[in-house]
Amino acid sequence: MNQKLTLAEKVWRDHVVQQGDAGAPDLIYIDFQLLHEVTSPQAFDGLRLQGRTMRHPELHLATEDHNVPTEGIKSGNLLEIKDEVSRTQVSTLRKNCEEFGVRLHSMGDEQQGIVHTVGPQLGITQPGMTIVCGDSHTSTHGAFGSIAMGIGTSEVEHVMATQTLSLKPFKTMAIEVTGELQEGVSAKDLILAIIAKIGTGGGQGYIIEYRGEAIRKMSMEARMTICNMSIEAGARAGMVAPDETTFEYVKGREFAPKGADWDKAVDYWKTLPTDDGAEFDRVVEIDGSALTPFVTWGTNPGQGLPLGETVPDPEDCGDDNSKATVKKALEYMDLQPGTPLRDIKIDTVFVGSCTNARIEDLRAAAEVVKGRTIDANTRMIVVPSSAVVKADAEKEGLDQIFQEFGAEWRTAGCSMCLGMNPDQLKPGERSASTSNRNFEGRQGPGGRTHLVSPQVAAATAVTGYLSSPADLK
Ligand code: SF4
């Protein structure tokens, strides 16, 4: 009888070049590597120093995203980047891509954007693939049923040189989301609730497969939001089994198989979902129908609660370690235990990042702010995750809706997701952000971040306090 396998085990099995003995790493074939300006320079230098070439430059694609400004970009000329370090990073990527023959989408290019939006957008990301990038949020691509993971700089170089990687065996976790999400509850609320439940280390050593009715009903963009934050639970990767929703999204895109190759590919993709009776090392259940909008109050993505709750009291938080962790987070966030989360005043609302700045996210936020006026003491910046998303949004008039509301409409990039470009919080400023990390100083030194969905971000910009659309009159 054939062994019953999970989705992750099937994809792994189909990429083993050489099996490791007794728990030693397997040598795995890598189908595609994505690159950006921050984590690729040392890898290219390494190749150069050893006089090596790239084995498959055509299986690599680079974008400029982390360091690029999101204002004043017209031609993509390097001088449009004022910060010298950022300019050097971007200029180095351009030179490296030219020298090694890697396709690059630069600032000002119509396909430029955050690497985790650009991959799926071009149809590079397909079911059953292995995809890597020197970036934690590569897990996003698992939404298509691929094993996608962030890797270190030396591994980036290894993949460039060999198109393979030594990877340790993993454990499998199923997160079963039962029931349907209620109106007003999004993929972001679900993933924040999952991380709060299993903790930021709960996924360590596992590849998570998100399953169940709520996941099956989600669009590809919502599934990307879920998989994107798998890394925030410490998981090696997150995956969703491919289905008709996946095939429909991939079909017709530039890198998608065509004609007979398409039919062959779909036949293979249909074999990938977890076999009935396959066993996971761990199963976690979460009732999707019981969820309400979720926000973080602390300094890691697992420190979240439903918006209707209050800031926790360290004294109620288990052992001394937990008490100390919560106390430290509240000190940094300048929050008092017992404060209703809805009473937290917000200075800046950021709708952006590879988690939540695709077209559906922008539509959801625009629907909330349409016809309303921004709170007088709050600023809102909206940063599409790619130039294509920006163009699509402008065709639909979303840019007008945001600007009439009082928000700033920017060009694509990582922007305020991390303090590596001009979009940063000032010390002490507090944001409601659709990004994925609320670590101390992540959005700028001294900045305080509350992670939220695009809908909650938009409602917060209306009131100036953490709010959901249901709170608006
Ligand atoms: S948007 Fe943020 S998390 Fe995503 S790739 Fe850029 S910096 Fe990383």
Side-chain angles (χ1 to χ4, degrees):
M1 204 172 83
N2 286 341
Q3 198 191 354
K4 310 282 188 200
L5 295 177
T6 64
L7 164 66
E9 288 164 341
K10 291 182 192 184
V11 177
W12 190 278
R13 172 201 64 193
D14 292 351
H15 288 81
V16 173
V17 176
Q18 191 174 16
Q19 202 147 19
D21 294 331
D26 290 339
L27 189 67
I28 297 292
Y29 183 75
I30 301 300
D31 290 310
F32 211 94
Q33 174 155 248
L34 296 160
L35 304 167
H36 60 64
E37 70 272 28
V38 178
T39 51
S40 63
Q42 285 161 290
F44 280 116
D45 279 348
L47 287 186
R48 216 178 270 118
L49 278 171
Q50 296 180 57
R52 301 177 102 158
T53 53
M54 284 177 80
R55 188 169 173 90
H56 283 297
E58 77 285 6
L59 300 181
H60 289 71
L61 182 129
T63 62
E64 296 168 5
D65 53 12
H66 283 61
N67 291 85
V68 302
T70 60
E71 284 183 294
I73 304 302
K74 294 198 170 62
S75 64
N77 187 301
L78 283 171
L79 294 177
E80 290 174 342
I81 305 178
K82 303 284 172 257
D83 178 70
E84 209 179 317
V85 175
S86 295
R87 196 165 58 238
T88 304
Q89 297 264 49
V90 171
S91 141
T92 306
L93 180 68
R94 290 183 184 185
K95 284 186 207 139
N96 284 331
C97 286
E98 199 178 337
E99 181 182 338
F100 287 90
V102 173
R103 174 167 162 177
L104 167 68
H105 290 297
S106 294
M107 293 185 313
D109 176 308
E110 60 182 25
Q111 292 286 358
Q112 176 265 346
I114 305 174
V115 72
H116 308 311
T117 295
V118 172
Q121 202 171 264
L122 287 170
I124 289 170
T125 310
Q126 297 168 24
M129 289 178 78
T130 48
I131 299 176
V132 294
C133 175
D135 191 282
S136 321
H137 296 92
T138 308
S139 56
T140 312
H141 307 263
F144 292 77
S146 57
I147 292 181
M149 52 181 78
I151 56 174
T153 306
S154 59
E155 293 174 307
V156 171
E157 183 186 338
H158 194 279
V159 176
M160 286 175 170
T162 66
Q163 210 59 36
T164 65
L165 206 50
S166 275
L167 291 169
K168 285 194 198 133
F170 58 93
K171 293 183 284 179
T172 55
M173 183 190 297
I175 294 190
E176 299 274 355
V177 186
T178 58
E180 270 186 68
L181 301 187
Q182 290 179 37
E183 171 95 26
V185 179
S186 71
K188 182 63 160 288
D189 301 308
L190 172 59
I191 190 63
L192 287 174
I194 288 171
I195 300 167
K197 184 176 171 108
I198 69 172
T200 51
Q204 229 162 14
Y206 291 95
I207 294 183
I208 297 175
E209 182 183 332
Y210 300 96
R211 299 159 59 84
E213 190 184 347
I215 303 291
R216 294 263 65 87
K217 287 193 169 150
M218 277 181 185
S219 67
M220 286 314 298
E221 298 202 354
R223 293 178 191 181
M224 283 189 249
T225 298
I226 299 278
C227 289
N228 173 277
M229 291 194 69
S230 304
I231 189 72
E232 307 308 335
R236 292 181 64 186
M239 302 176 85
V240 174
D243 58 11
E244 290 302 327
T245 305
T246 322
F247 308 151
E248 200 179 310
Y249 181 97
V250 175
K251 194 168 189 180
R253 293 182 188 265
E254 184 185 335
F255 280 73
K258 309 280 182 319
D261 288 343
W262 171 260
D263 297 335
K264 215 168 120 195
V266 172
D267 285 347
Y268 170 60
W269 296 343
K270 284 182 175 170
T271 68
L272 292 174
T274 294
D275 294 325
D276 288 340
E279 286 189 10
F280 290 88
D281 296 305
R282 185 179 171 197
V283 177
V284 174
E285 280 192 21
I286 185 156
D287 180 2
S289 64
L291 295 177
T292 55
F294 226 82
V295 301
T296 62
W297 50 266
T299 52
N300 73 53
Q303 292 178 323
L305 280 169
L307 178 61
E309 299 280 339
T310 56
V311 173
D313 189 334
E315 291 310 313
D316 301 334
C317 297
D319 59 27
D320 286 351
N321 264 350
S322 309
K323 284 187 176 63
T325 305
V326 171
K327 193 162 174 275
K328 184 168 176 283
L330 295 188
E331 276 167 13
Y332 182 81
M333 293 297 286
D334 193 26
L335 291 173
Q336 294 305 315
T339 306
L341 295 171
R342 281 191 167 91
D343 287 356
I344 296 175
K345 177 83 188 80
I346 297 295
D347 306 300
T348 296
V349 170
F350 171 57
V351 175
S353 87
C354 59
T355 313
N356 272 135
R358 288 174 286 268
I359 190 72
E360 288 177 12
D361 300 313
L362 301 191
R363 282 183 194 136
E367 196 182 316
V368 176
V369 304
K370 189 173 184 178
R372 294 189 153 104
T373 307
I374 193 167
D375 171 69
N377 298 311
T378 308
R379 76 167 164 153
M380 179 184 195
I381 66 171
V382 184
V383 188
S385 62
S386 74
V388 168
V389 171
K390 180 171 185 281
D392 288 348
E394 287 173 357
K395 265 184 233 144
E396 296 180 20
L398 304 186
D399 57 326
Q400 289 299 319
I401 293 173
F402 286 121
Q403 288 177 102
E404 280 165 22
F405 171 69
E408 297 167 40
W409 178 247
R410 302 290 188 83
T411 52
C414 293
S415 182
M416 200 178 266
C417 176
L418 87 173
M420 245 187 206
N421 56 64
D423 303 339
Q424 297 193 22
L425 293 180
K426 294 194 188 75
E429 263 192 325
R430 187 183 294 283
S431 79
S433 171
T434 66
S435 54
N436 47 44
R437 285 191 168 158
N438 51 345
F439 303 156
E440 292 186 17
R442 168 77 177 181
Q443 294 189 289
R448 300 179 177 122
T449 304
H450 296 272
L451 301 177
V452 299
S453 70
Q455 293 88 332
V456 167
T460 298
V462 176
T463 63
Y465 292 83
L466 286 177
S467 306
S468 76
D471 299 328
L472 306 179
K473 302 273 183 282

